[in-house]
Amino acid sequence: MSEPNATEPAPTILVVETDILVRHVIADYLRGCGYRVLEAATGEEATLILDVEAEGIDIVLADAAATGDREGFALARWLRETHPHMDVVLAGSPAMAAAQATDLCEDGPAVDKPYQPQQLADRIRWLMARRGRNR
């Protein structure tokens, strides 16, 4: 794992996960990888954070099966329309991903649940490298 570059701010990831234990574990892991991590329990909470922090957020990691008015897929659609500069990683079962997310992520949902931390970190590094901000 490479150390964060002191001259460049760490990429920011917004983790949207209803399960508090899962959210805290994955957020702590990503912080240990050198990322700045924001957390939201619901899509609605994520939109409140995005209203304030949108320009500073690089990637949104969202549970595709999240509940509420702005569940994972609805949140991803909204982000594509309102924040096209932001990468979205949806996490869910392969069957759900294949059925619902083809149009949301160029490469489809990138991670399965339960989260495999190294797979997630590799996916985030790939997204940042694609943007030219390899971490």
Short mmCIF file of all heavy atoms in Angstrom, two decimals, residues 10-16 30 35-39 49-50 53-62 75 79 83 85-90 110-111 120-131 133 135:
data_model
loop_
_atom_site.label_atom_id
_atom_site.label_comp_id
_atom_site.label_asym_id
_atom_site.label_seq_id
_atom_site.Cartn_x
_atom_site.Cartn_y
_atom_site.Cartn_z
N ALA A 10 -5.65 13.71 0.09
CA ALA A 10 -6.10 12.34 -0.09
C ALA A 10 -7.45 12.33 -0.79
O ALA A 10 -8.30 13.18 -0.52
CB ALA A 10 -6.22 11.66 1.27
N PRO A 11 -7.67 11.39 -1.70
CA PRO A 11 -8.99 11.27 -2.32
C PRO A 11 -10.04 11.02 -1.24
O PRO A 11 -9.77 10.39 -0.22
CB PRO A 11 -8.85 10.05 -3.23
CG PRO A 11 -7.40 9.96 -3.52
CD PRO A 11 -6.72 10.43 -2.26
N THR A 12 -11.23 11.51 -1.48
CA THR A 12 -12.32 11.37 -0.52
C THR A 12 -13.35 10.38 -1.04
O THR A 12 -13.78 10.47 -2.18
CB THR A 12 -12.99 12.73 -0.25
OG1 THR A 12 -12.00 13.62 0.29
CG2 THR A 12 -14.13 12.61 0.73
N ILE A 13 -13.74 9.47 -0.15
CA ILE A 13 -14.73 8.44 -0.48
C ILE A 13 -15.91 8.60 0.46
O ILE A 13 -15.73 8.69 1.68
CB ILE A 13 -14.12 7.04 -0.34
CG1 ILE A 13 -12.90 6.91 -1.25
CG2 ILE A 13 -15.18 5.97 -0.63
CD1 ILE A 13 -12.05 5.71 -0.97
N LEU A 14 -17.10 8.65 -0.09
CA LEU A 14 -18.33 8.66 0.70
C LEU A 14 -18.86 7.24 0.72
O LEU A 14 -19.20 6.68 -0.32
CB LEU A 14 -19.37 9.62 0.10
CG LEU A 14 -20.76 9.59 0.74
CD1 LEU A 14 -20.72 9.92 2.22
CD2 LEU A 14 -21.69 10.54 0.00
N VAL A 15 -18.91 6.63 1.92
CA VAL A 15 -19.42 5.27 2.08
C VAL A 15 -20.87 5.35 2.53
O VAL A 15 -21.17 5.93 3.58
CB VAL A 15 -18.58 4.49 3.13
CG1 VAL A 15 -19.17 3.11 3.37
CG2 VAL A 15 -17.12 4.40 2.69
N VAL A 16 -21.76 4.79 1.72
CA VAL A 16 -23.20 4.78 2.03
C VAL A 16 -23.60 3.34 2.31
O VAL A 16 -23.67 2.52 1.39
CB VAL A 16 -24.03 5.35 0.86
CG1 VAL A 16 -25.49 5.45 1.26
CG2 VAL A 16 -23.49 6.70 0.41
N LEU A 30 -10.56 1.76 4.75
CA LEU A 30 -10.20 2.75 3.74
C LEU A 30 -9.38 3.89 4.33
O LEU A 30 -8.46 4.39 3.67
CB LEU A 30 -11.47 3.28 3.05
CG LEU A 30 -12.21 2.26 2.20
CD1 LEU A 30 -13.56 2.81 1.76
CD2 LEU A 30 -11.37 1.83 1.00
N TYR A 35 -7.16 7.11 2.58
CA TYR A 35 -8.25 7.91 2.03
C TYR A 35 -8.95 8.70 3.12
O TYR A 35 -8.99 8.29 4.28
CB TYR A 35 -9.28 7.01 1.33
CG TYR A 35 -8.70 6.26 0.17
CD1 TYR A 35 -8.40 4.90 0.27
CD2 TYR A 35 -8.44 6.90 -1.03
CE1 TYR A 35 -7.85 4.22 -0.79
CE2 TYR A 35 -7.89 6.22 -2.10
CZ TYR A 35 -7.60 4.87 -1.97
OH TYR A 35 -7.05 4.20 -3.02
N ARG A 36 -9.52 9.82 2.74
CA ARG A 36 -10.44 10.57 3.61
C ARG A 36 -11.80 9.94 3.38
O ARG A 36 -12.23 9.78 2.25
CB ARG A 36 -10.45 12.05 3.20
CG ARG A 36 -11.40 12.88 4.02
CD ARG A 36 -11.29 14.36 3.62
NE ARG A 36 -12.34 15.11 4.28
CZ ARG A 36 -13.37 15.66 3.66
NH1 ARG A 36 -13.49 15.59 2.34
NH2 ARG A 36 -14.29 16.31 4.33
N VAL A 37 -12.48 9.56 4.46
CA VAL A 37 -13.73 8.83 4.34
C VAL A 37 -14.85 9.56 5.07
O VAL A 37 -14.70 9.96 6.23
CB VAL A 37 -13.60 7.40 4.90
CG1 VAL A 37 -14.92 6.65 4.79
CG2 VAL A 37 -12.49 6.64 4.18
N LEU A 38 -15.96 9.73 4.36
CA LEU A 38 -17.19 10.25 4.96
C LEU A 38 -18.18 9.11 4.99
O LEU A 38 -18.13 8.21 4.14
CB LEU A 38 -17.74 11.40 4.12
CG LEU A 38 -16.79 12.57 3.88
CD1 LEU A 38 -17.40 13.56 2.89
CD2 LEU A 38 -16.46 13.26 5.18
N GLU A 39 -19.09 9.12 5.97
CA GLU A 39 -20.02 8.01 6.12
C GLU A 39 -21.46 8.50 6.13
O GLU A 39 -21.76 9.54 6.71
CB GLU A 39 -19.75 7.27 7.43
CG GLU A 39 -18.37 6.67 7.53
CD GLU A 39 -18.13 5.99 8.87
OE1 GLU A 39 -19.02 5.25 9.34
OE2 GLU A 39 -17.05 6.21 9.44
N ILE A 49 -24.88 15.21 2.75
CA ILE A 49 -23.42 15.36 2.76
C ILE A 49 -22.97 15.91 1.41
O ILE A 49 -22.13 16.81 1.34
CB ILE A 49 -22.74 14.02 3.08
CG1 ILE A 49 -23.03 13.62 4.54
CG2 ILE A 49 -21.23 14.09 2.82
CD1 ILE A 49 -22.61 12.20 4.89
N LEU A 50 -23.53 15.39 0.33
CA LEU A 50 -23.14 15.84 -1.00
C LEU A 50 -23.51 17.29 -1.25
O LEU A 50 -22.81 17.99 -1.99
CB LEU A 50 -23.78 14.94 -2.06
CG LEU A 50 -23.15 13.56 -2.15
CD1 LEU A 50 -24.10 12.57 -2.81
CD2 LEU A 50 -21.83 13.64 -2.91
N GLU A 53 -20.39 18.84 0.50
CA GLU A 53 -19.04 18.38 0.19
C GLU A 53 -18.84 17.90 -1.24
O GLU A 53 -17.80 17.33 -1.55
CB GLU A 53 -18.68 17.20 1.12
CG GLU A 53 -18.71 17.52 2.58
CD GLU A 53 -17.32 17.64 3.15
OE1 GLU A 53 -16.33 17.49 2.42
OE2 GLU A 53 -17.24 17.89 4.35
N ALA A 54 -19.80 18.06 -2.12
CA ALA A 54 -19.76 17.41 -3.44
C ALA A 54 -18.45 17.62 -4.20
O ALA A 54 -17.92 16.69 -4.79
CB ALA A 54 -20.94 17.86 -4.29
N GLU A 55 -17.95 18.83 -4.21
CA GLU A 55 -16.73 19.11 -4.99
C GLU A 55 -15.52 18.37 -4.45
O GLU A 55 -14.57 18.12 -5.18
CB GLU A 55 -16.47 20.60 -5.06
CG GLU A 55 -17.50 21.35 -5.88
CD GLU A 55 -17.69 20.78 -7.28
OE1 GLU A 55 -16.68 20.54 -7.99
OE2 GLU A 55 -18.85 20.57 -7.67
N GLY A 56 -15.54 18.01 -3.17
CA GLY A 56 -14.40 17.33 -2.58
C GLY A 56 -14.50 15.82 -2.57
O GLY A 56 -13.56 15.14 -2.17
N ILE A 57 -15.60 15.26 -3.02
CA ILE A 57 -15.79 13.82 -2.99
C ILE A 57 -15.41 13.24 -4.35
O ILE A 57 -15.89 13.69 -5.39
CB ILE A 57 -17.24 13.45 -2.61
CG1 ILE A 57 -17.53 13.92 -1.18
CG2 ILE A 57 -17.47 11.95 -2.76
CD1 ILE A 57 -18.97 13.76 -0.75
N ASP A 58 -14.55 12.22 -4.32
CA ASP A 58 -14.08 11.59 -5.54
C ASP A 58 -14.90 10.36 -5.92
O ASP A 58 -15.19 10.13 -7.09
CB ASP A 58 -12.61 11.17 -5.39
CG ASP A 58 -11.72 12.38 -5.16
OD1 ASP A 58 -11.56 13.16 -6.10
OD2 ASP A 58 -11.20 12.53 -4.04
N ILE A 59 -15.25 9.56 -4.91
CA ILE A 59 -15.92 8.29 -5.16
C ILE A 59 -17.02 8.10 -4.13
O ILE A 59 -16.84 8.39 -2.94
CB ILE A 59 -14.93 7.10 -5.06
CG1 ILE A 59 -13.86 7.22 -6.15
CG2 ILE A 59 -15.65 5.75 -5.14
CD1 ILE A 59 -12.73 6.22 -6.03
N VAL A 60 -18.16 7.59 -4.59
CA VAL A 60 -19.24 7.20 -3.68
C VAL A 60 -19.35 5.68 -3.75
O VAL A 60 -19.54 5.11 -4.83
CB VAL A 60 -20.59 7.84 -4.07
CG1 VAL A 60 -21.72 7.32 -3.17
CG2 VAL A 60 -20.49 9.36 -3.96
N LEU A 61 -19.18 5.03 -2.60
CA LEU A 61 -19.36 3.59 -2.46
C LEU A 61 -20.71 3.39 -1.81
O LEU A 61 -20.92 3.81 -0.67
CB LEU A 61 -18.25 2.98 -1.60
CG LEU A 61 -18.48 1.55 -1.13
CD1 LEU A 61 -18.52 0.59 -2.32
CD2 LEU A 61 -17.39 1.14 -0.14
N ALA A 62 -21.66 2.79 -2.53
CA ALA A 62 -23.02 2.66 -2.02
C ALA A 62 -23.49 1.22 -2.06
O ALA A 62 -23.23 0.49 -3.03
CB ALA A 62 -23.98 3.54 -2.82
N LEU A 75 -29.69 6.46 -5.91
CA LEU A 75 -28.59 7.37 -5.58
C LEU A 75 -27.59 7.43 -6.73
O LEU A 75 -27.15 8.51 -7.14
CB LEU A 75 -27.90 6.94 -4.28
CG LEU A 75 -26.70 7.77 -3.84
CD1 LEU A 75 -27.12 9.21 -3.53
CD2 LEU A 75 -26.03 7.14 -2.62
N LEU A 79 -26.61 10.68 -8.88
CA LEU A 79 -25.22 11.14 -8.98
C LEU A 79 -24.78 11.29 -10.43
O LEU A 79 -24.09 12.25 -10.77
CB LEU A 79 -24.29 10.17 -8.25
CG LEU A 79 -24.32 10.26 -6.74
CD1 LEU A 79 -23.62 9.06 -6.12
CD2 LEU A 79 -23.67 11.56 -6.27
N HIS A 83 -23.81 14.96 -10.57
CA HIS A 83 -22.37 15.03 -10.28
C HIS A 83 -21.62 14.06 -11.21
O HIS A 83 -21.02 13.09 -10.74
CB HIS A 83 -22.08 14.68 -8.82
CG HIS A 83 -22.80 15.55 -7.84
ND1 HIS A 83 -22.49 16.88 -7.66
CD2 HIS A 83 -23.82 15.29 -7.00
CE1 HIS A 83 -23.28 17.39 -6.73
NE2 HIS A 83 -24.11 16.45 -6.33
N HIS A 85 -18.86 14.08 -12.53
CA HIS A 85 -17.42 13.95 -12.27
C HIS A 85 -17.12 12.89 -11.23
O HIS A 85 -15.97 12.46 -11.09
CB HIS A 85 -16.84 15.29 -11.80
CG HIS A 85 -17.30 15.67 -10.42
ND1 HIS A 85 -18.55 16.22 -10.18
CD2 HIS A 85 -16.70 15.54 -9.22
CE1 HIS A 85 -18.69 16.43 -8.88
NE2 HIS A 85 -17.58 16.03 -8.28
N MET A 86 -18.12 12.45 -10.49
CA MET A 86 -17.94 11.54 -9.37
C MET A 86 -18.06 10.09 -9.83
O MET A 86 -18.98 9.75 -10.56
CB MET A 86 -19.04 11.84 -8.34
CG MET A 86 -18.60 11.72 -6.93
SD MET A 86 -19.92 12.31 -5.82
CE MET A 86 -19.70 14.08 -5.92
N ASP A 87 -17.12 9.26 -9.40
CA ASP A 87 -17.23 7.83 -9.68
C ASP A 87 -18.16 7.20 -8.66
O ASP A 87 -18.20 7.62 -7.49
CB ASP A 87 -15.86 7.16 -9.62
CG ASP A 87 -15.00 7.51 -10.82
OD1 ASP A 87 -15.48 7.33 -11.95
OD2 ASP A 87 -13.86 7.96 -10.61
N VAL A 88 -18.90 6.17 -9.09
CA VAL A 88 -19.82 5.46 -8.22
C VAL A 88 -19.45 3.98 -8.23
O VAL A 88 -19.27 3.39 -9.30
CB VAL A 88 -21.29 5.61 -8.69
CG1 VAL A 88 -22.24 4.82 -7.80
CG2 VAL A 88 -21.68 7.08 -8.75
N VAL A 89 -19.33 3.40 -7.06
CA VAL A 89 -19.12 1.97 -6.91
C VAL A 89 -20.31 1.44 -6.15
O VAL A 89 -20.56 1.84 -5.01
CB VAL A 89 -17.81 1.65 -6.15
CG1 VAL A 89 -17.67 0.15 -5.96
CG2 VAL A 89 -16.60 2.22 -6.86
N LEU A 90 -21.10 0.56 -6.80
CA LEU A 90 -22.22 -0.07 -6.14
C LEU A 90 -21.78 -1.44 -5.64
O LEU A 90 -21.10 -2.17 -6.35
CB LEU A 90 -23.40 -0.24 -7.10
CG LEU A 90 -24.14 1.04 -7.47
CD1 LEU A 90 -25.19 0.74 -8.53
CD2 LEU A 90 -24.79 1.66 -6.25
N ALA A 110 -18.69 -2.98 -9.10
CA ALA A 110 -17.32 -3.46 -9.02
C ALA A 110 -17.03 -4.36 -7.84
O ALA A 110 -16.03 -5.04 -7.84
CB ALA A 110 -16.38 -2.26 -8.97
N VAL A 111 -17.85 -4.37 -6.84
CA VAL A 111 -17.55 -5.17 -5.66
C VAL A 111 -18.78 -5.92 -5.20
O VAL A 111 -19.90 -5.46 -5.34
CB VAL A 111 -16.99 -4.31 -4.50
CG1 VAL A 111 -15.65 -3.70 -4.88
CG2 VAL A 111 -17.96 -3.23 -4.10
N LEU A 120 -11.92 -4.05 -2.83
CA LEU A 120 -12.44 -2.68 -2.82
C LEU A 120 -11.31 -1.67 -2.97
O LEU A 120 -11.40 -0.74 -3.77
CB LEU A 120 -13.21 -2.43 -1.52
CG LEU A 120 -13.78 -1.03 -1.36
CD1 LEU A 120 -14.73 -0.68 -2.50
CD2 LEU A 120 -14.48 -0.92 -0.02
N ALA A 121 -10.22 -1.85 -2.23
CA ALA A 121 -9.09 -0.93 -2.34
C ALA A 121 -8.50 -0.94 -3.75
O ALA A 121 -8.16 0.11 -4.30
CB ALA A 121 -8.02 -1.29 -1.31
N ASP A 122 -8.41 -2.13 -4.35
CA ASP A 122 -7.90 -2.22 -5.72
C ASP A 122 -8.81 -1.50 -6.70
O ASP A 122 -8.35 -0.81 -7.61
CB ASP A 122 -7.76 -3.69 -6.15
CG ASP A 122 -6.65 -4.42 -5.41
OD1 ASP A 122 -5.79 -3.77 -4.79
OD2 ASP A 122 -6.67 -5.67 -5.46
N ARG A 123 -10.11 -1.63 -6.52
CA ARG A 123 -11.07 -0.97 -7.40
C ARG A 123 -10.97 0.55 -7.28
O ARG A 123 -11.00 1.28 -8.27
CB ARG A 123 -12.50 -1.44 -7.06
CG ARG A 123 -13.57 -0.77 -7.87
CD ARG A 123 -13.45 -1.08 -9.34
NE ARG A 123 -14.59 -0.48 -10.04
CZ ARG A 123 -14.72 -0.45 -11.32
NH1 ARG A 123 -13.82 -1.02 -12.09
NH2 ARG A 123 -15.75 0.12 -11.88
N ILE A 124 -10.83 1.05 -6.06
CA ILE A 124 -10.70 2.49 -5.84
C ILE A 124 -9.41 3.01 -6.47
O ILE A 124 -9.40 4.04 -7.15
CB ILE A 124 -10.79 2.83 -4.34
CG1 ILE A 124 -12.23 2.60 -3.87
CG2 ILE A 124 -10.33 4.26 -4.06
CD1 ILE A 124 -12.40 2.63 -2.37
N ARG A 125 -8.31 2.30 -6.30
CA ARG A 125 -7.04 2.69 -6.92
C ARG A 125 -7.19 2.73 -8.45
O ARG A 125 -6.69 3.64 -9.11
CB ARG A 125 -5.91 1.76 -6.52
CG ARG A 125 -5.24 2.17 -5.24
CD ARG A 125 -3.92 1.45 -5.03
NE ARG A 125 -4.08 0.02 -4.88
CZ ARG A 125 -4.45 -0.60 -3.76
NH1 ARG A 125 -4.69 0.10 -2.68
NH2 ARG A 125 -4.58 -1.89 -3.72
N TRP A 126 -7.88 1.75 -9.02
CA TRP A 126 -8.10 1.71 -10.46
C TRP A 126 -8.89 2.93 -10.92
O TRP A 126 -8.55 3.57 -11.92
CB TRP A 126 -8.82 0.42 -10.83
CG TRP A 126 -9.09 0.31 -12.30
CD1 TRP A 126 -8.22 -0.12 -13.26
CD2 TRP A 126 -10.30 0.66 -12.98
NE1 TRP A 126 -8.83 -0.06 -14.49
CE2 TRP A 126 -10.10 0.41 -14.35
CE3 TRP A 126 -11.53 1.15 -12.57
CZ2 TRP A 126 -11.09 0.64 -15.31
CZ3 TRP A 126 -12.51 1.37 -13.52
CH2 TRP A 126 -12.28 1.12 -14.86
N LEU A 127 -9.96 3.28 -10.18
CA LEU A 127 -10.76 4.45 -10.55
C LEU A 127 -9.93 5.73 -10.47
O LEU A 127 -10.02 6.58 -11.35
CB LEU A 127 -11.98 4.57 -9.64
CG LEU A 127 -13.09 3.54 -9.87
CD1 LEU A 127 -14.10 3.60 -8.73
CD2 LEU A 127 -13.76 3.77 -11.21
N MET A 128 -9.14 5.86 -9.43
CA MET A 128 -8.32 7.07 -9.28
C MET A 128 -7.25 7.13 -10.35
O MET A 128 -6.96 8.19 -10.90
CB MET A 128 -7.70 7.13 -7.88
CG MET A 128 -8.72 7.24 -6.74
SD MET A 128 -9.92 8.59 -6.93
CE MET A 128 -8.84 10.00 -6.84
N ALA A 129 -6.66 6.00 -10.70
CA ALA A 129 -5.63 5.97 -11.76
C ALA A 129 -6.25 6.34 -13.10
O ALA A 129 -5.64 7.04 -13.90
CB ALA A 129 -4.98 4.59 -11.83
N ARG A 130 -7.47 5.86 -13.34
CA ARG A 130 -8.16 6.20 -14.58
C ARG A 130 -8.37 7.70 -14.70
O ARG A 130 -8.34 8.25 -15.79
CB ARG A 130 -9.51 5.47 -14.62
CG ARG A 130 -10.22 5.63 -15.93
CD ARG A 130 -11.50 4.85 -15.94
NE ARG A 130 -12.45 5.55 -15.09
CZ ARG A 130 -13.70 5.19 -14.90
NH1 ARG A 130 -14.13 4.09 -15.47
NH2 ARG A 130 -14.50 5.87 -14.13
N ARG A 131 -8.53 8.35 -13.58
CA ARG A 131 -8.67 9.82 -13.56
C ARG A 131 -7.33 10.53 -13.61
O ARG A 131 -7.28 11.74 -13.65
CB ARG A 131 -9.32 10.26 -12.26
CG ARG A 131 -10.73 9.99 -12.13
CD ARG A 131 -11.08 10.57 -10.82
NE ARG A 131 -12.45 10.43 -10.52
CZ ARG A 131 -13.03 11.11 -9.55
NH1 ARG A 131 -12.34 11.94 -8.82
NH2 ARG A 131 -14.28 10.94 -9.30
N ARG A 133 -5.14 10.26 -10.99
CA ARG A 133 -4.76 10.57 -9.61
C ARG A 133 -4.43 9.26 -8.91
O ARG A 133 -5.07 8.89 -7.94
CB ARG A 133 -5.91 11.25 -8.86
CG ARG A 133 -6.14 12.66 -9.28
CD ARG A 133 -7.13 13.32 -8.39
NE ARG A 133 -6.58 13.38 -7.04
CZ ARG A 133 -7.30 13.65 -5.97
NH1 ARG A 133 -8.58 13.90 -6.06
NH2 ARG A 133 -6.75 13.71 -4.78
N ARG A 135 -3.21 6.65 -6.50
CA ARG A 135 -2.94 6.73 -5.06
C ARG A 135 -2.29 5.44 -4.64
O ARG A 135 -2.70 4.39 -4.80
CB ARG A 135 -4.29 6.94 -4.36
CG ARG A 135 -4.32 7.08 -2.94
CD ARG A 135 -3.66 8.17 -2.18
NE ARG A 135 -4.05 9.51 -2.42
CZ ARG A 135 -3.21 10.51 -2.34
NH1 ARG A 135 -1.94 10.33 -2.10
NH2 ARG A 135 -3.59 11.73 -2.50
#
